[in-house]
Amino acid sequence: MEFIYFHLMPYRPLDMAERAKHRSAWVVMPNTLYDPKKGAEEYASYIEQLVYAEELGFDALGVNEHHQTAYGMMPAPNLIASALIQRTKRVKIAVLGRALPLTNNPIWIAEEFAMLDNLSRGRLIAGFVRGIGSEYHATGINPYWSHERFQEAHDLIVAAWTKPGPFEFDGQHYNFRYVNLWPRPYQQPHPPIWIPSQGSSETIKWASHPSRKYPFLVTFSAQDLVIRYLEMYREEARNHGYEADGNQLGWAAPIYVADTDERAKAEAARAIESLFNDYLAMPWEMLLPPGYMSLSSMQSTMKMRKSLGTLAKRVTVDDLMASGTAVIGSPKTVRAQIERVREKTGFNRLVSMLQFGVLPDDLAKRNMEMFAAEIMPHFR
Amino acid sequence: MAPAEATLETRDVRARTWRAGRGPVLIFLHGAGGVPPWNAFFNTLAERCEVLVLEHPGFGKTPSPPYIRNVGDLAMYYLDVLDNLKSERVHLVGNSLGGWIAAELATRNCSRLASLTLISPAGVRVKGVPVGDNFIWSPQESVRNLYYDQAMAEQLLAQQPTDEQAELMLVNRFAATKYGWEPRWFNPALEGWLHRISVPTQILWGAQDKLLPARYADAWKAQIPSARVEVLGECGHLPHMEKSELAARKILDFIGRR
């Protein structure tokens, strides 16, 4: 199994009483709540954690893109990736990922990824995502065309990486008289492309297509859903006449390991609850603007919502542990849960988020060390 | 008076229509919420006109062909619709998104129009006058922000939509997003061509409109100096719903069908 040490870089000094006055920590919460002096400290801590992960034996370091939010301080993840390249030797650098539809010039993404690939001499993993719903509020990009723009931007980027330039690109959303990438990517034909997703069936179908076979990472979902989505990928692959490799299947989850189940829960509780309730939570108008999901997916989501009721209540550490959205416990407990998902799906890429929410540096560091010592060797 | 429901085929689009009354043809183009319920506004108009309400492609049960991607396309589509109708000239009325479509249409070609009534139209942006964000509002906030009369808003909120209504609301939300998300409810080029509107034009606005503030009426008046502007008191973004009879009377008065 491959282990990715993934970071969101949340802004931990957030004033939660102020936070509670807004509908979300995304887009509408005033940025006067961000203190640059404290923010600079956060960046420094998080870079240290990421660099330390190489020393602990992780295979890759993962960063990602989010806009106008305290949930993650990486609107430009490539800047962090670039810093990490300078501080590391061996690990892969996974940008999970850039949000393709949010830019009007996807060539910039192709160029920056090509630069990172050259700077790292081929250590880059290029993640492609659509951004989360609220990012269509943050950027103004029309979510109605999200899928169309994603696929077209993908085609353009891959062509820019692989096709001799200059060439013309004629699309619906993107049109360029000259596409002629300097530099070209270091890895040939191009850096590996990974697709993190919350599991939309459209995305699974698209990623598993034999012309792509892109690794698909299910992010932050209940374990039964994770299993279902990874199974869905396998089925799609079979429908296309091939058997998906374990390396095409990934699972991204917050994980916390301590000596005992009780201690793990006690230490992780406040942080994991802050991740889901304070940092991630948003009303569905922000989370699912029309078109972000197709109309048919949205209709089934609405039906599900109706049966679940509309009460928005805070999730607890117990809820998150019970659903397996967060993996929290003793080494034995954590190993058993990973083993269970592996047995059912054969997944081979674990994207572990070992700092989450307000989790302080000392606990984050101990969590990393426990994970590297007690969990990773078991699956190698 | 219940309207007759039918469909109207224009090229390959079969649009749902509602029709009632006799007299000169008056076409109503609806806003982002979809075709409104048939109320006193339509009944009052139908006493003096033949009222025709069409559902825009992409809304409700009217399909959207791939060549209709924005409001400019809708305007061209409605020029086709007008060519399709038997009447020589029609009175065109549009609210919000429908007003935007009507204005785009009229800047392109007024030859089939007898008059134009824009009810709190979208389509123009006034710098420094912020508009509401109906895409971030919850359904409850939307209703409360669209109406001045909060008793009316609460009454509407008390009605649970049926599954079918909920599904149509979702479809309408998708269509509204396609046409209005970006740039948010306007076309930067429209204002510069409004002078081409050469038929009698009336602009109605609710004084307490929280989506598109009534100050927007000034910007429209500046570009169409001959336009008659009426700001209706104690009224939000949907005068045809909130001041239904009054709004209808203003239109009949304006087109000389009192």
Side-chain angles (χ1 to χ4, degrees):
Chain A
M1 188 173 290
E2 271 185 25
F3 294 91
I4 295 93
Y5 176 79
F6 178 75
H7 223 301
L8 278 175
M9 299 198 170
Y11 179 71
R12 289 175 295 188
L14 184 60
D15 180 336
M16 292 301 177
E18 283 299 315
R19 152 68 185 92
K21 293 178 185 165
H22 304 281
R23 69 181 84 204
S24 175
W26 297 70
V27 187
V28 293
M29 186 178 72
N31 67 354
T32 45
L33 294 175
Y34 179 84
D35 177 339
K37 292 222 165 61
K38 292 175 181 165
E41 292 303 318
E42 293 289 84
Y43 280 119
S45 294
Y46 293 154
I47 297 259
E48 287 310 319
Q49 288 168 16
L50 281 152
V51 169
Y52 186 43
E54 176 177 51
E55 200 180 309
L56 292 175
F58 283 83
D59 300 288
L61 310 181
V63 293
N64 86 338
E65 170 180 345
H66 285 300
H67 296 271
Q68 303 189 10
T69 176
Y71 174 80
M73 306 195 303
M74 280 185 282
N78 289 351
L79 298 182
I80 303 295
S82 185
L84 295 176
I85 287 167
Q86 299 307 313
R87 301 257 328 250
T88 56
K89 291 259 176 323
R90 167 194 63 79
V91 282
K92 301 270 187 195
I93 307 291
V95 180
L96 300 173
R98 288 299 317 274
L100 309 191
L102 300 185
T103 170
N104 284 321
N105 186 353
I107 294 174
W108 289 346
I109 294 177
E111 287 173 337
E112 288 184 16
F113 274 163
M115 282 178 71
L116 291 173
D117 204 32
N118 280 264
L119 285 168
S120 65
R121 293 193 172 83
R123 288 194 279 142
L124 180 74
I125 293 163
F128 290 173
V129 297
R130 292 190 297 117
I132 77 162
S134 71
E135 278 151 343
Y136 293 80
H137 289 278
T139 59
I141 295 292
N142 192 335
Y144 188 86
W145 309 113
S146 172
H147 281 286
E148 248 186 55
R149 286 171 71 93
F150 177 82
Q151 287 173 15
E152 202 175 303
H154 161 272
D155 294 349
L156 169 55
I157 291 168
V158 172
W161 281 343
T162 55
K163 216 170 133 176
F167 64 87
E168 269 182 64
F169 186 86
D170 302 313
Q172 176 75 49
H173 296 276
Y174 308 110
N175 287 282
F176 294 97
R177 174 64 187 83
Y178 299 105
V179 182
N180 191 17
L181 221 63
W182 288 79
R184 293 193 296 121
Y186 189 90
Q187 298 175 81
Q188 292 298 318
H190 58 75
I193 295 170
W194 290 10
I195 309 294
S197 160
Q198 287 202 299
S200 87
S201 56
E202 290 93 355
T203 301
I204 293 173
K205 254 192 188 92
W206 179 85
S208 63
H209 190 272
S211 65
R212 289 178 280 270
K213 295 189 178 178
Y214 293 152
F216 160 69
L217 317 172
V218 191
T219 57
F220 300 175
S221 302
Q223 257 169 51
D224 287 342
L225 279 179
V226 171
I227 291 165
R228 199 163 96 203
Y229 293 140
L230 294 179
E231 268 307 308
M232 208 190 280
Y233 188 105
R234 282 201 177 278
E235 270 166 45
E236 287 293 336
R238 276 182 214 120
N239 292 342
H240 286 302
Y242 76 94
E243 193 61 40
D245 186 90
N247 282 330
Q248 281 170 264
L249 305 173
W251 172 29
I255 299 175
Y256 193 84
V257 200
D259 306 341
T260 64
D261 286 342
E262 294 71 30
R263 187 173 176 193
K265 184 178 156 182
E267 287 175 351
R270 184 166 162 257
I272 198 72
E273 288 176 0
S274 73
L275 170 66
F276 285 92
N277 297 309
D278 302 316
Y279 289 102
L280 182 56
M282 63 184 78
W284 82 291
E285 287 75 27
M286 291 176 71
L287 186 66
L288 298 172
Y292 180 75
M293 267 186 184
S294 70
L295 186 59
S296 57
S297 303
M298 202 57 179
Q299 278 160 345
S300 33
T301 306
M302 293 276 287
K303 279 189 195 114
M304 216 157 72
R305 247 174 78 85
K306 207 176 166 190
S307 67
L308 289 174
T310 50
L311 269 181
K313 67 175 181 61
R314 287 177 74 89
V315 291
T316 64
V317 64
D318 292 302
D319 299 334
L320 293 163
M321 287 171 71
S323 66
T325 306
V327 183
I328 295 170
S330 67
K332 191 173 154 223
T333 301
V334 170
R335 282 196 297 263
Q337 287 196 38
I338 297 169
E339 194 56 70
R340 171 176 172 260
V341 177
R342 185 160 76 158
E343 269 170 18
K344 295 203 185 245
T345 66
F347 89 103
N348 206 34
R349 290 193 153 128
L350 184 61
V351 180
S352 58
M353 188 164 74
L354 303 173
Q355 190 289 325
F356 42 80
V358 295
L359 193 74
D361 287 348
D362 56 336
L363 294 185
K365 184 163 183 245
R366 182 150 53 71
N367 188 26
M368 290 172 75
E369 287 164 350
M370 288 287 284
F371 185 85
E374 303 288 340
I375 310 298
M376 286 184 353
H378 182 82
F379 295 95
R380 290 291 195 190
Chain B
M1 189 188 327
E5 197 177 332
T7 57
L8 180 70
E9 199 166 339
T10 306
R11 292 176 76 190
D12 55 346
V13 180
R14 196 182 282 272
R16 290 203 296 176
T17 64
W18 291 262
R19 204 187 284 259
R22 296 179 66 146
V25 173
L26 182 150
I27 294 181
F28 178 83
L29 301 181
H30 65 80
V35 174
W38 194 274
N39 65 359
F41 173 77
F42 296 104
N43 279 330
T44 307
L45 290 174
E47 286 166 13
R48 298 282 184 277
C49 299
E50 180 184 342
V51 177
L52 172 61
V53 177
L54 292 114
E55 187 170 64
H56 308 320
F59 281 84
K61 293 180 178 168
T62 300
S64 181
Y67 54 84
I68 296 183
R69 295 176 70 91
N70 56 47
V71 173
D73 295 330
L74 282 174
M76 299 305 285
Y77 159 80
Y78 276 110
L79 283 170
D80 279 351
V81 170
L82 294 184
D83 285 345
N84 226 353
L85 297 174
K86 288 187 189 78
S87 40
E88 187 59 34
R89 285 174 181 267
V90 303
H91 297 286
L92 187 61
V93 178
N95 165 241
S96 198
L97 168 65
W100 179 7
I101 299 166
E104 293 271 1
L105 182 154
T107 58
R108 284 163 172 76
N109 186 345
C110 282
S111 64
R112 306 298 302 271
L113 303 185
S115 76
L116 181 65
T117 297
L118 305 173
I119 308 175
S120 38
V124 164
R125 177 186 60 177
V126 181
K127 284 185 182 165
V129 182
V131 300
D133 184 357
N134 59 316
F135 289 118
I136 213 165
W137 291 341
S138 70
Q140 292 75 17
E141 273 178 299
S142 286
V143 173
R144 291 187 184 117
N145 287 337
L146 289 175
Y147 286 84
Y148 167 76
D149 181 351
Q150 289 303 294
M152 208 178 219
E154 292 311 317
Q155 211 171 14
L156 285 167
L157 287 172
Q159 295 164 14
Q160 275 295 323
T162 64
D163 283 356
E164 200 202 334
Q165 284 168 336
E167 196 157 318
L168 289 182
M169 281 161 67
L170 187 65
V171 169
N172 290 343
R173 214 173 151 80
F174 268 65
T177 301
K178 173 160 79 166
Y179 300 126
W181 188 284
E182 197 248 333
R184 190 57 59 87
W185 292 123
F186 80 107
N187 165 13
L190 177 61
E191 198 175 352
W193 297 109
L194 289 176
H195 65 273
R196 292 195 50 83
I197 296 176
S198 56
V199 290
T201 300
Q202 174 173 237
I203 293 160
L204 299 180
W205 224 292
Q208 286 85 16
D209 190 333
K210 285 187 178 170
L211 185 60
L212 302 171
R215 276 178 63 191
Y216 270 66
D218 303 341
W220 287 82
K221 172 80 178 163
Q223 301 304 321
I224 318 170
S226 64
R228 178 162 118 180
V229 176
E230 292 265 2
V231 175
L232 310 183
E234 302 189 335
C235 183
H237 185 63
L238 309 171
H240 58 296
M241 300 295 293
E242 195 161 4
K243 295 280 179 217
S244 45
E245 272 205 56
L246 178 65
R249 296 274 164 225
K250 295 279 181 199
I251 293 168
L252 292 175
D253 184 44
F254 180 65
I255 66 176
R257 301 291 298 178
R258 238 183 316 178

